[in-house]
Amino acid sequence: MNEIKNIVSDIKNGTIKPIYFLMGEEPYYIDKISDYIEENVLEEAEKGFNLQVMYGRDASIDDIVASAKRYPMMAEKQVIIIKEAQDLSRSIEKLVSYANNPQPTTVLVINYKYKRLDKRKKLHKAIAKTGLVYESKKLYDNKVADWIRRVLNGKNYQIAPKAAQMLVDFLGTDLSKISNELDKLTLILPKETIINDNHIEENIGISKDFNNFELLKAIGDKNVLKANRIINYFVDNPKNNPTVMTISLLNNFFTKLLLFHGLQNKSKDAVSKALGVNIYFVEDYFLASRNYPMRKVAQIIAFLRDADVKSKGVGANQTQGDILKELIFKILH
C-alpha cells in the first residue's frame, strides 16, 4: 500500500517515469496504477491525440517501440498503455533496447499480469534504472480481512470482524471482486457506518446464518444440529456454496487447530500471531481444541484430503452434496 501511495504521490507532484512495468499475481493494483496514469497524466483535451491503448495479443514489441518513439501532439507527453502484456512474454526481452534509452516525452505503461520479469535479465535491470518496476503480490488469505478494513477506513467506514470474514469466505482473495462489493456498500450506507453481517446479507446476498463462517463456528462448538442445517442449506444452494471452497476453508481451520495444539504460549496475542488470525477469532480455537484433541484433528485432516480429491472427481461416484454430508458426519463423530 505504501509503495502505491508513493507512486501516486510522485505522479501528482510531476515526477513521472518514462516506463512503468506493472507485474505480478494480483491484478487489482496493476489496474489501479494503470488507470490512475491514464486518467491523470494528460489533460482531457490532450487525450484524443496523445493517449493510446494497445493489447499484448494484437501488438508486437516493434509496434510498441514505434509508437513510444513518436512525439506528442500539442502536449508535453503522450501516454501509451499496454494491456494484457503477458501475452508478449515470449518476446518481452526485445524491449531492452528501448528501455535503455526511453523517449522522455512518452509514458509507457506495461500491464504484465500473473507473471513477473526475472530480476537477473537485462530488461528488468534496464527498466529499474530508467523507469519503475512494480510487483503486485497476491495477498495471503489471512491478510484479506485486514485489507478490507484498511480500504473501508480510508472511506470513513468500519466493518465488524464477522462481516469482513463473510466477504473473504464468499469472495476469496479476488481484490477486484471484493472492491466492487465494497463500492456497493459505500454507495448505499452513510459514512461512519460500522458494516455488520446484516448489511452484508441485505446488500450483497450472503446469508448471515448459513455461510462458511457460521459452519466453522458450529463445527468448532460441535453443534451437530446447526452444522447439519448449514450443510443442508449449502447442498440446496451449491452455486453460492461450492463444495471445494468449503473443504478448503475447513482444511485451513483444522490445520491451524493442529498448530494451536502444538503452541507452548497460548496467550491470545501469541495465538493470534502464530495462527495469523484476528484476535476476535482466537476464542474459537480454544473452544475447538477442547472438542477435538490433536489425534482427532490429524484424522480430520486426512478426511478432508480424501473429500477434496473426491470433490474434484477422482475416484468418486457420489454427488458433491453427499461428499460434503459424509465429511461433516466424519468430523463430528
Side-chain angles (χ1 to χ4, degrees), residues 232-242:
N232 288 331
Y233 178 87
F234 283 8
V235 172
D236 292 337
N237 298 272
K239 186 177 179 181
N240 289 334
N241 305 280

Side-chain angles (χ1 to χ4, degrees), residues 277-310:
V277 299
N278 188 297
I279 200 163
Y280 174 86
F281 301 116
V282 166
E283 194 58 44
D284 295 341
Y285 289 90
F286 280 96
L287 176 61
S289 69
R290 293 191 286 271
N291 288 322
Y292 301 93
M294 185 178 283
R295 182 177 294 180
K296 177 64 176 176
V297 174
Q299 185 184 43
I300 288 170
I301 290 173
F303 293 152
L304 286 160
R305 287 175 182 163
D306 181 57
D308 181 55
V309 170
K310 287 181 179 177

Side-chain angles (χ1 to χ4, degrees), residues 4-33:
I4 294 160
K5 287 178 182 177
N6 290 337
I7 292 169
V8 170
S9 178
D10 284 345
I11 294 169
K12 280 182 180 178
N13 294 329
T15 305
I16 302 173
K17 303 287 187 181
I19 304 176
Y20 289 86
F21 199 98
L22 313 174
M23 64 182 188
E25 291 297 318
E26 178 48 69
Y28 176 80
Y29 285 118
I30 292 174
D31 288 336
K32 283 291 183 183
I33 296 170

